[in-house]
Amino acid sequence: MLHPYRETVLSQLHPGYQHSANCLEPAVLTFEAVLALPPQHRRKVIWRLDQGFGGDDNLNWLLERGYGVLAKGCSNRRAALLAQQVQRWHAVRDDKFVGHVPTPAGLNQALDTFVIRYAVPTGWKHAYLLSTLHQAGRATVLLYDQRGGAETEFRSDKSGGLQVDKRRKHKRDAQEAWLLLTDIAHNCLSWLTRCLFAGSPFASFGFLRIGRDLLRIPGTVELEHGRLLSVKLLKSSPYAADLVDCLRRFGQ
């Protein structure tokens, strides 16, 4: 679960065989506890959910708690049936179209329901989105597709600079500790990108490049009573001069 500043709000460890639909409620309840979220503020929170989380029971539970949703429905059969109700398709791009249909049965309140038609090598497939945002179909689809930013962060932690996939512990508590330490490292790197590297040649660096090319530059640091006095980096590094400029600018 990611913060708008690309920081991790929370991570939870579940057995590999557990379906994602069963993870939603404990994640939301933990989210409320971590952020001390008052009930009256829930209407400002929009849960953007992938297909595995978008069952009717989960959506009804979120709606009953006062949240907004932007979710991909989990039933392929329902998607095919809803597609037959579309009277007019609107282009999102050349190989993707969207159409509006009535809210399907099984949901406790009316939601904007959009069927997506997209091209695959064997022809056309269908999916559907359920939303409380009251936006047009194309805008709803484009907003839902922005969830890829979170997936990029997860891939960065897994196979990038933090290499979560390389760390496996036999005990559950030990593995969860690794996960929490990774969250701390992730948030520290997010802070570096946002605060220290803003406006520098490193602003576009991902976690892999930060860990591989910047944090491994040999050098010395001089501290006095917790105050940074000087930083000296190996001059032969192509990034040393720009990194020193970042540190000097931040120190001011």
Side-chain angles (χ1 to χ4, degrees), residues 209-225:
R209 295 192 69 186
I210 292 175
R212 181 191 64 195
D213 299 335
L214 300 183
L215 299 185
R216 295 184 183 181
I217 299 176
T220 59
V221 176
E222 183 180 358
L223 297 171
E224 183 178 83
H225 304 300

Side-chain angles (χ1 to χ4, degrees), residues 145-160:
D145 288 345
Q146 291 178 14
R147 76 198 189 286
E151 294 171 356
T152 299
E153 298 294 331
F154 298 147
R155 285 196 300 269
S156 178
D157 285 354
K158 184 175 180 180
S159 58

Side-chain angles (χ1 to χ4, degrees), residues 18-84:
Q18 181 163 318
H19 194 280
S20 55
N22 299 323
C23 302
L24 180 68
E25 287 193 21
V28 172
L29 294 175
T30 306
F31 165 83
E32 293 174 357
V34 169
L35 296 186
L37 187 69
Q40 63 269 26
H41 290 174
R42 292 176 186 170
R43 61 184 178 84
K44 300 180 180 180
V45 178
I46 307 297
W47 289 92
R48 187 166 53 195
L49 305 176
D50 287 340
Q51 183 173 7
F53 297 95
D56 290 355
D57 289 342
N58 278 343
L59 294 179
N60 286 330
W61 183 79
L62 287 172
L63 294 169
E64 288 169 1
R65 295 184 72 78
Y67 290 110
V69 298
L70 174 53
K72 188 175 185 180
C74 67
S75 173
N76 293 328
R77 182 175 179 273
R78 177 188 275 175
L81 293 174
L82 290 175
Q84 298 175 15

Side-chain angles (χ1 to χ4, degrees), residues 82-155:
L82 290 175
Q84 298 175 15
Q85 301 180 34
V86 176
Q87 297 182 1
R88 183 179 179 184
W89 295 100
H90 301 273
V92 179
R93 55 175 188 258
D94 290 343
D95 61 346
K96 195 171 191 177
F97 300 86
V98 62
H100 184 268
V101 295
T103 305
L107 294 162
N108 293 341
Q109 72 179 62
L111 299 176
D112 291 331
T113 306
F114 300 100
V115 180
I116 304 170
R117 186 185 188 194
Y118 57 97
V120 296
T122 56
W124 295 95
K125 291 193 68 174
H126 297 95
Y128 63 101
L129 298 178
L130 299 155
S131 171
T132 59
L133 299 179
H134 306 299
Q135 293 181 323
R138 186 175 185 275
T140 301
V141 173
L142 293 175
L143 179 60
Y144 178 78
D145 288 345
Q146 291 178 14
R147 76 198 189 286
E151 294 171 356
T152 299
E153 298 294 331
F154 298 147
R155 285 196 300 269

Side-chain angles (χ1 to χ4, degrees), residues 187-242:
N187 290 345
C188 286
L189 291 175
S190 296
W191 176 85
L192 281 175
T193 303
R194 187 174 71 253
C195 298
L196 188 61
F197 298 149
S200 77
F202 312 128
S204 62
F205 276 28
F207 291 174
L208 177 60
R209 295 192 69 186
I210 292 175
R212 181 191 64 195
D213 299 335
L214 300 183
L215 299 185
R216 295 184 183 181
I217 299 176
T220 59
V221 176
E222 183 180 358
L223 297 171
E224 183 178 83
H225 304 300
R227 181 171 174 267
L228 178 65
L229 297 180
S230 67
V231 177
K232 298 178 181 179
L233 301 177
L234 186 67
K235 289 184 178 181
S236 60
S237 168
Y239 303 110
D242 288 328

